[in-house]
Every structure is written in C-alpha cells, then in structure tokens.
Amino acid sequence: MNTAELLHILGVDPKAMRGGSLLVYTPITGEQIAAVHEHTFADAQKIISQAHDAYLVWRTVPAPRRGELIRLLGQELRQHKETLGRLVSIETGKILAEGAGEVQEMIDICDFAVGLSRQLYGLTIASERPGHRMMETWHPLGVVGVISAFNFPVAVWSWNTALAIVCGNSVVWKPSEKTPLTALACQALFQRAMTKFGNTPAGLSQVLIGGRGIGIALVDHEQVALVSATGSTRMGHEVGPRVAARFGRSLLELGGNNAIIVSPSADLGMAERAILFGAIGTAGQRCTTTRRLIVHSSVAQALVTRLKKAYASAKVGDPTQADTLVGPLIDQAAFDAMQAALLRASAEGGRVTGGQRQLADQQPHAWYVAPAIVEMPGQTAVVCHETFAPILYVMQYDDFDQAIAMHNDVPQGLSSAIFTTDLREAEQFLSAAGSDCGIANVNIGTSGAEIGGAFGGEKETGGGRESGSDAWRMYMRRATNTINYSNQLPLAQGIKFGDD
C-alpha cells in the first residue's frame, strides 16, 4: 500500500495531504510524499482556546470514565497497528518491526492509563491539631502542549496524551515538521475513539502543524499549563526558559549520550546483543541509542572483534523489507553531521570502522549509511557531544572507579547500563556513587524501556519523566487540604487573640 492508501485506512482526509506548504519526504527514497497544510499563528490561538474550553468540561468527568476514552483509543490502535506502523516506517525510515513496535508502545500506555484512571491516589496526613484531618488531593491541570521529535513520531504523543486525558486535561500536539502524517493519522484514530465514547467536548485533542513559529505559539500561550517537549538539548534551552518566564510547567525529554560498561566478568554474548541493538537500532536515531562503550582492557579486543563481525552482517537498506536491520538516516543534514563527527573523531585519535554512505547508486536522494565503530584513545570532546547517528565510540578502562567517572563525565544523563556478573560492581553502578542517569540497567542495554517505569533523564536530558510509575503527577496539580471537624479554631504558631 502507498502512503495515500495507508492514510485513507487510518481516516485522514486526503485533502490534508495536498496543496499545502509543508513538504513531506520519505527518507526511504528521498521522494516527496505529501504537501501538508500548515496552521497560522491565529489558528494556533483559536485551537488552544478551544482546548482550554474542552478542559473546563473534561475536568468534571470522573477519572474512570475518562479512562474509558483511552480504552477505546487502545482498541483503535490494536485494530490499525500494522497500518500505522507501516506509515511510521515510511515517514521516519524505521524498519517495519520498529514501526510496529512503536505502535505497540502506544497500546501499552493506553492499557497503563486505563488502570491509572482508577488509581489517582492522594494521601491522608496526620494533623498536629485535635479534631482536624489533613489530606492531599490531585486535580486536572489544564491544556497540555506536546512537542514531539521525528524519531518517535507517535509513541511520545501517546505517552503524554494517554496520561493527560485520564488526568482530566486536554492536549494540543505540535509534531515534528518532518513527520506530520503520522500525527494526522493519530488524531483521526483519536477522533474515532471520541465518536464511540460520545459526548466528548470539542477540542479535547488537537494537532498543530507547522515549524518553529507554531511551536513558539504553543510554548508562549498562557493557557497551556504544561509543555512536554521532546527533542534536542538546544531546543530545551529555548523551551524551558520561555515556559518558566510565564510560570508554566515544562517536561523536557532531551539529548542522551548513553554508555554501556562491560566488565571482565561480563557475558560477552549478551553484551554484544545489547550493544548491537542499542547502537544501530533506528539507525542510531534514538535518544536511548548506545553511543559509548566503556570496556575493560582485558576483554576489549575480543568484544570489539565480535561487534565488527556483527556490524558487517547487519543489512542496511529499505526498511520495509523484512530482512533489513538498519534503515536510512532521516535526511542529508543527519548524514553530514555524522560525517563531520567521524572526521573530528579521527583527528582526535580515533580509528574508524564503517560510517560510509550506502546505496547511493540505487537511492541517490536517500541517506543510508554503514553504522560506525570508532575506537578512541579516551573520552575526547567529540565523544561528549551527542551525534544523532549510528556511531559507537569504544574506550577502554582498567579500574572500575575510572569507568564510572568516564561514564558520568558527559553533559547528558538519560540511559545507562553495565554488563557484569560481579554483584559489587552491579550494586555500585546502581548506587548514589554510580550512574548519574535517569535509567540505569544491569545486564540489559540502554534501549527498550518498559511502559511501567518512569522514562527520562538528568542533567542536559532535562529532568522530565514520562510514562509509568508516578509520572502522572506532572499532568495534575496538587492541593493540600485541612478539614476542621471540631468546634475549636486553634491558630498557627500558638498565636492567641482576645480571651483565647
């Protein structure tokens, strides 16, 4: 099926694909596949205002009832998993398994959110005053603005939207201008769920299509209570202060420079498998991509030899073919950034294997590349910079404390892992003196986080948390309540008035 057929099945109006100013290209061939209509600043103001009106109605709907809408969305996603997954592959260049896997993440977060709709718990707190009770309650926040990146064009929206909706909020989504078609498809599926739900306020979920200016309109709007932004650290540096200037909330999911430590006691077969998936999956264009390998000198040669052999056997090509493991980079800018990083790594003493352009004769307008392994003399400046491409920097260590120090000595702090069978090393890695990342794993790689855990990182990764655990609290406001059921009114700080 071609793109138009996929969008038709998903319920997108064909007119949305034609005659617009935002040109959409598939990285598989580099060909234009759509011309999408963009929203204006005035459109954005109207859409956000409508979303606020929807929130005022939706916040009064009981949370378990709100969960029913997300259950219906999950049904739509199950029914259209293959179709939406294929559209993800066409628009981002992901292999089919990854496209379908991303939709499965959407289904999983819907299941999580439906259960959560009956578990938005507060606390009962002991009061120091006789005849008083204290408690904590959680209430809907308002309009939630979602800004997503091209590499996970549908999952990030669902992580935010499923939680935001069951928490009683409305959502306005500004997708990457590189991946608007998947956004329109998700909105169409959400609209189907709303129709089945019945009596849903108009504007509960909406999409804003456009570039940087539309993103700014969303970030700056006073009625957007929370901006959840996923993207580069550079983007976060702009979004965070703008939202803070109006005392709004921001949830930032930014860059990652993720490392795996491989100790002398590690199972090298397991480590190889995790490194390969983490480093070349999505052509290195994940925030959780494995970018640094810190390996003990006693096993470094054996592991690198295994990795080079595995890299050589990984097929680079059309992501819609079942045997492909590595699809294209998103565009030429990504390819150019990768080549610049490899040149810089060579200048800093690195030995580069791979990294060349692939299939240029067959697909001259697409940007396929061989994943690169770069053996570095140490953690140089280029290693500390995140390049969104399949580059794995390999560095050696002799002392475990040295490995931890090297691991933490980068600006980013998203995902991390260690492969070891040494209990002390594993526990130190997970301790306060170990990994400084938001995700720290033992004998499992940096990619493939589960829905049930909170997802996010520290330092320049932004500090935000999405998905599981108590991440739902970001989408609600907390109120501390005190109830006096006595016939006395004791004053704080022991203050007395008159005849007290």
Side-chain angles (χ1 to χ4, degrees), residues 37-53 143-147 170-175 203 205-224 246:
H37 295 275
E38 297 183 77
H39 289 103
T40 65
F41 179 83
D43 293 333
Q45 302 302 303
K46 181 179 179 180
I47 286 171
I48 295 169
S49 178
Q50 187 180 30
H52 181 71
D53 291 342
V143 179
V144 173
V146 178
I147 299 174
S170 58
V171 177
V172 178
W173 178 20
K174 192 273 179 198
S205 171
Q206 298 183 83
V207 174
L208 276 176
I209 301 295
R212 182 175 180 274
I214 289 298
I216 290 174
L218 184 64
V219 167
D220 287 350
H221 202 289
E222 294 286 344
Q223 288 184 318
V224 178
R246 60 177 179 83

Side-chain angles (χ1 to χ4, degrees), residues 2-154:
N2 61 31
T3 306
E5 291 171 328
L6 294 172
L7 289 166
H8 175 72
I9 292 171
L10 294 166
V12 178
D13 185 350
K15 295 179 182 178
M17 294 178 55
R18 299 191 298 266
S21 56
L22 180 58
L23 305 183
V24 184
Y25 302 87
T26 172
I28 298 175
T29 62
E31 296 173 329
Q32 181 183 326
I33 55 175
V36 178
H37 295 275
E38 297 183 77
H39 289 103
T40 65
F41 179 83
D43 293 333
Q45 302 302 303
K46 181 179 179 180
I47 286 171
I48 295 169
S49 178
Q50 187 180 30
H52 181 71
D53 291 342
Y55 150 71
L56 296 177
V57 175
W58 190 243
R59 66 181 178 178
T60 66
V61 175
R65 178 65 180 152
R66 301 192 296 248
E68 172 63 11
L69 174 57
I70 297 303
R71 188 188 69 79
L72 293 170
L73 174 61
Q75 283 186 344
E76 293 294 328
L77 293 169
R78 282 183 171 87
Q79 182 180 347
H80 297 92
K81 177 180 175 179
E82 182 180 352
T83 306
L84 182 57
R86 183 171 285 272
L87 182 62
V88 169
S89 294
I90 290 172
E91 197 168 34
T92 68
K94 288 186 175 185
I95 64 174
L96 287 177
E98 289 182 328
E102 185 172 346
V103 181
Q104 185 61 51
E105 290 186 31
M106 303 174 75
I107 295 167
D108 292 343
I109 195 63
C110 285
D111 288 349
F112 180 90
V114 172
L116 177 65
S117 69
R118 295 180 182 272
Q119 299 179 77
L120 300 175
Y121 299 139
L123 298 171
T124 299
I125 305 164
S127 173
E128 65 186 31
R129 292 172 284 198
H132 287 61
R133 178 168 64 85
M134 239 190 328
M135 66 179 184
E136 176 184 281
T137 52
W138 293 84
H139 304 290
L141 188 62
V143 179
V144 173
V146 178
I147 299 174
S148 60
F150 77 87
N151 59 328
F152 277 86
V154 294

Side-chain angles (χ1 to χ4, degrees), residues 339-396:
Q339 299 309 303
L342 293 176
L343 286 173
R344 186 176 177 188
S346 295
E348 294 175 2
R351 296 195 307 273
V352 179
T353 302
Q356 307 90 346
R357 188 177 179 188
Q358 305 283 287
L359 308 176
D361 55 337
Q362 301 172 41
Q363 297 292 352
H365 304 295
W367 299 93
Y368 294 87
V369 66
I373 295 175
V374 186
E375 298 165 82
M376 298 297 295
Q379 189 156 273
T380 64
V382 71
V383 180
C384 296
H385 174 76
E386 180 191 31
T387 301
F388 223 54
I391 301 175
L392 178 67
Y393 297 108
V394 182
M395 297 156 290
Q396 297 185 24

Side-chain angles (χ1 to χ4, degrees), residues 244-412:
R246 60 177 179 83
F247 297 103
R249 290 190 195 179
S250 59
L251 191 166
L252 301 177
E253 295 285 0
L254 310 175
N257 196 349
N258 316 293
I260 293 179
I261 296 174
V262 179
S263 81
S265 68
D267 181 322
L268 294 188
M270 288 178 61
E272 175 193 340
R273 184 176 175 85
I275 295 163
L276 185 68
F277 174 72
I280 73 172
T282 322
Q285 298 171 119
R286 290 179 180 231
C287 55
T288 55
T289 290
T290 304
R291 307 199 182 281
R292 297 179 294 140
L293 175 59
I294 303 169
V295 56
H296 194 271
S297 58
S298 65
V299 295
Q301 183 176 354
L303 181 57
V304 171
T305 299
R306 296 176 69 144
L307 286 171
K308 287 181 179 178
K309 183 178 179 180
Y311 269 50
S313 66
K315 181 184 175 182
V316 177
D318 184 342
T320 63
Q321 299 300 311
D323 59 344
T324 297
L325 288 178
V326 183
L329 294 172
I330 189 68
D331 54 24
Q332 183 178 352
F335 175 80
D336 291 343
M338 179 179 181
Q339 299 309 303
L342 293 176
L343 286 173
R344 186 176 177 188
S346 295
E348 294 175 2
R351 296 195 307 273
V352 179
T353 302
Q356 307 90 346
R357 188 177 179 188
Q358 305 283 287
L359 308 176
D361 55 337
Q362 301 172 41
Q363 297 292 352
H365 304 295
W367 299 93
Y368 294 87
V369 66
I373 295 175
V374 186
E375 298 165 82
M376 298 297 295
Q379 189 156 273
T380 64
V382 71
V383 180
C384 296
H385 174 76
E386 180 191 31
T387 301
F388 223 54
I391 301 175
L392 178 67
Y393 297 108
V394 182
M395 297 156 290
Q396 297 185 24
Y397 78 94
D398 293 305
D399 176 74
F400 188 64
D401 288 338
Q402 173 196 8
I404 293 290
M406 188 185 302
H407 175 279
N408 292 346
D409 192 24
V410 293
Q412 310 86 358

